[in-house]
Amino acid sequence: MSTIDYLMQGFSISFLWYNLLFAFMGVLLGTIVGVLPGIGPMSGVALLIPITATITGSMGLSNEDSATSSIILLAGVYYGAMYGGSTTSILLNTPGESSSVVTALDGYQMAKQGRAGSALSIAAIGSFVGGIVTLIALMFLAEPLSRMALKFSSVEYFSLMVLGLCAISGLAGKSMVKALIMTTLGLLIATIGTDQFSGVERFTFGVLSLSEGVAFLTLAVGLFAVGEVFKTILHEDTQAIQIAKINSLYPSKAEMKESIGPIARGSILGFFIGILPGAGAILASFFSYVMEKKISKTPEKFGKGAIAGVAGPETANNAASGGAMVPLLTLGIPSSGTAAILMGALIMYNVQPGPLLFSEHPKVAWGLIASMFIGNVMLLILNLPLVKVFAKIIDTPAKYLLPLILSISIFGVLSAQNSMIDLWILLICGALGFLFAKHDYPVAPLVLSVILGPMMEANLGRALNISEGNWGIFVNPTMHPISLAFVIVAALWLLIPLILKMKGKEVLVNDDD
């Protein structure tokens, strides 16, 4: 079958009434998650995993159909939140999530000038175009990359996973040392459970429910959703906020014309940055902003309400979320914290992302890709007329929102895991999530290493078995040149930021896209 045939099959799956409903729920909830300052896509996706599992389980779907429906909804939350964060950036100068920080520079200035509607509309249009462009690229790159990855042995896979961890550690958080500490902590958590080779239990302390390790669902919901509740309770500023007024909802012809170039460039730039492990949407939006300012004939307008300062970054961050799907689906390597959570959700359904995904689970892979086309259209139709409604969500009192998040977290984990130990782990992870945020310890490296840890251990064991314990197999230029290349790039990813820091140059970092 050709790529188009597979895509048509994907559309037939995504047009099922319940998958259309899940796609709509995903983009709607994602927009709300993005609008609410502080929650972010990682917390939103983690919070909804148990809910989607419960809903699909009650519908009597097969395991593969449940996985497809769940990932459609969760992916919708992901790219919906990418757009939703722009609403508070523009109206309040308060980014709803990290990748919308750059949007606030010119978006809020436009709102103060009475051009909030134009900024919000351009953000919606740019997000739509960026999403569609990257989906087309994903559609044609997925199969070739999967075929290439099938040629990887356990040696290449281990080195690739090391690259993924080094990349996200090199670019996550304000301190590389703290990011590496979190990566190591995640790998330690991944060792809890039964050893894959000897069958011996490790670090379970006699607790039977830990024999299969710490449940990813419990860990993710605790660190992000419950951690955010603790953080908000202790630090939330409850003062009244002033929202900029929205007059005309549509941009002028001049603003549309001025936005075409930044949207086109942001789509391409965002996609390729999104592919890079650890780069994420915040780097995509930052580089887009810098590029637009450098090539602009009127760079002095940036920071004072330039429409290009909204169009480029907003397009780039949505394009980056689509680009992040490429290594996730084809190589089984998440390039961001949110992608790692999506990967964990798939693994819960015994669907392993990677080169075999398109051959073993084509319904899941192509159903997701097709649903993302539909979801982006829904996102555009939803956000343009309802932007004033979403703006009102900002006023939701914390006294209603926080108990709701905490209740969903507790009942979701209990229904999925049915264990009191998991409830205690949930609360402990919530406290740790708060402490990590308070002291600027990035959580994305921890999540990624918990996901990749068991796979790294399995591939390391097989590789050393083949080489009879010789670690040089990973850097052997004759037998495994691709592995050597991965190791070199991983080392550079850690060393270059250190060298730049030693020279006094500031390195932009990504916290939690």
Side-chain angles (χ1 to χ4, degrees):
M1 290 175 70
S2 67
T3 299
I4 301 298
D5 292 330
Y6 278 119
L7 184 64
M8 291 300 103
Q9 187 181 42
F11 273 114
S12 69
I13 295 166
S14 58
F15 273 121
L16 293 171
W17 70 268
Y18 52 85
N19 284 334
L20 283 174
L21 180 60
F22 282 133
F24 177 76
M25 287 171 57
V27 296
L28 176 63
L29 292 171
T31 304
I32 294 171
V33 163
V35 165
L36 292 170
I39 295 182
M42 276 204 294
S43 300
V45 173
L47 183 64
L48 289 168
I49 289 175
I51 297 175
T52 56
T54 303
I55 293 172
T56 55
S58 65
M59 292 173 65
L61 301 175
S62 67
N63 186 69
E64 190 170 54
D65 288 339
S66 293
T68 305
S69 299
S70 294
I71 201 67
I72 284 173
L73 189 151
L74 296 173
V77 174
Y78 183 19
Y79 54 82
M82 290 292 108
Y83 169 75
S86 66
T87 302
T88 47
S89 289
I90 292 167
L91 298 180
L92 289 176
N93 200 28
T94 305
E97 43 84 33
S98 59
S99 63
S100 295
V101 170
V102 182
T103 307
L105 298 177
D106 283 279
Y108 186 61
Q109 294 302 318
M110 288 181 66
K112 286 169 67 177
Q113 297 164 13
R115 299 159 60 204
S118 296
L120 289 166
S121 296
I122 288 296
I125 294 167
S127 296
F128 171 75
V129 174
I132 294 298
V133 167
T134 55
L135 281 171
I136 293 170
L138 169 61
M139 187 174 71
F140 289 103
L141 282 177
E143 285 289 330
L145 280 174
S146 295
R147 285 196 295 269
M148 181 190 74
L150 282 171
K151 299 177 182 177
F152 285 8
S153 69
S154 55
V155 177
E156 281 78 19
Y157 262 114
F158 178 77
S159 300
L160 178 62
M161 291 172 190
V162 170
L163 169 59
L165 289 181
C166 288
I168 205 165
S169 299
L171 292 172
K174 298 177 182 177
S175 165
M176 185 184 292
V177 173
K178 289 181 177 179
L180 289 172
I181 289 171
M182 296 298 281
T183 301
T184 306
L185 178 60
L187 291 173
L188 289 173
I189 293 172
T191 62
I192 296 173
T194 306
D195 183 271
Q196 299 181 49
F197 297 99
S198 67
V200 175
E201 290 188 357
R202 305 175 298 192
F203 311 117
T204 59
F205 304 102
V207 179
L208 184 62
S209 60
L210 288 178
S211 60
E212 295 182 4
V214 175
F216 173 79
L217 170 65
T218 307
L219 184 81
V221 174
L223 286 173
F224 298 114
V226 180
E228 195 62 44
V229 169
F230 290 165
K231 176 184 172 184
T232 306
I233 290 172
L234 295 171
H235 291 291
E236 184 70 17
D237 184 2
T238 56
Q239 293 180 357
I241 51 179
Q242 295 295 320
I243 303 174
K245 290 184 179 180
I246 303 171
N247 299 318
S248 172
L249 271 178
Y250 302 103
S252 64
K253 288 184 179 179
E255 287 173 328
M256 280 296 299
K257 185 177 179 182
E258 197 177 338
S259 302
I260 292 173
I263 288 174
R265 290 185 289 269
S267 298
I268 298 168
L269 180 69
F271 173 74
F272 285 107
I273 291 179
I275 291 175
L276 299 175
I282 191 171
L283 277 184
S285 58
F286 172 79
F287 284 135
S288 174
Y289 188 86
V290 171
M291 179 175 69
E292 293 306 323
K293 187 174 181 179
K294 283 190 175 295
I295 66 176
S296 174
K297 295 179 180 178
T298 55
E300 68 278 0
K301 289 185 179 180
F302 281 74
K304 299 176 182 177
I307 193 75
V310 174
E314 274 303 304
T315 304
N317 73 28
N318 242 51
S321 67
M325 292 293 177
V326 175
L328 171 66
L329 297 179
T330 61
L331 303 176
I333 301 293
S335 63
S336 69
T338 312
I341 293 174
L342 290 174
M343 181 174 175
L346 283 172
I347 292 173
M348 281 177 55
Y349 290 98
N350 296 317
V351 175
Q352 178 64 57
L356 294 176
L357 177 67
F358 287 85
S359 57
E360 293 182 352
H361 304 283
K363 289 175 67 176
V364 178
W366 290 104
L368 170 62
I369 292 172
S371 75
M372 289 175 73
F373 278 100
I374 297 167
N376 271 281
V377 174
M378 288 179 175
L379 197 61
L380 183 66
I381 296 171
L382 193 67
N383 280 291
L384 282 177
L386 296 181
V387 67
K388 292 183 180 180
V389 177
F390 289 125
K392 292 291 183 183
I393 294 171
I394 302 167
D395 292 328
T396 303
K399 64 181 180 180
Y400 300 128
L401 186 63
L402 299 183
L404 178 63
I405 292 174
L406 194 59
S407 299
I408 292 172
S409 300
I410 292 173
F411 290 115
V413 166
L414 280 178
S415 63
Q417 303 301 132
N418 197 26
S419 167
M420 285 301 296
I421 290 294
D422 281 273
L423 181 57
W424 285 110
I425 293 173
L426 175 76
L427 296 175
I428 291 169
C429 287
L432 289 174
F434 162 69
L435 292 173
F436 291 151
K438 182 179 179 181
H439 297 286
D440 291 322
Y441 281 84
V443 183
L446 184 149
V447 173
L448 186 60
S449 53
V450 168
I451 289 288
L452 294 183
M455 292 184 283
M456 288 181 70
E457 183 180 9
N459 284 294
L460 175 64
R462 285 194 289 266
L464 292 178
N465 206 22
I466 294 169
S467 66
E468 298 180 346
N470 181 10
W471 287 80
I473 192 172
F474 298 106
V475 290
N476 189 315
T478 306
M479 296 176 61
H480 298 282
I482 296 176
S483 174
L484 174 61
F486 287 153
V487 171
I488 292 172
V489 174
L492 291 175
W493 217 298
L494 293 179
L495 290 174
I496 289 175
L498 288 175
I499 294 170
L500 291 175
K501 189 175 182 180
M502 287 166 53
K503 290 185 176 181
K505 294 183 179 180
E506 185 179 347
V507 182
L508 181 74
V509 293
N510 178 26
D511 191 13
D512 66 348
D513 107 295

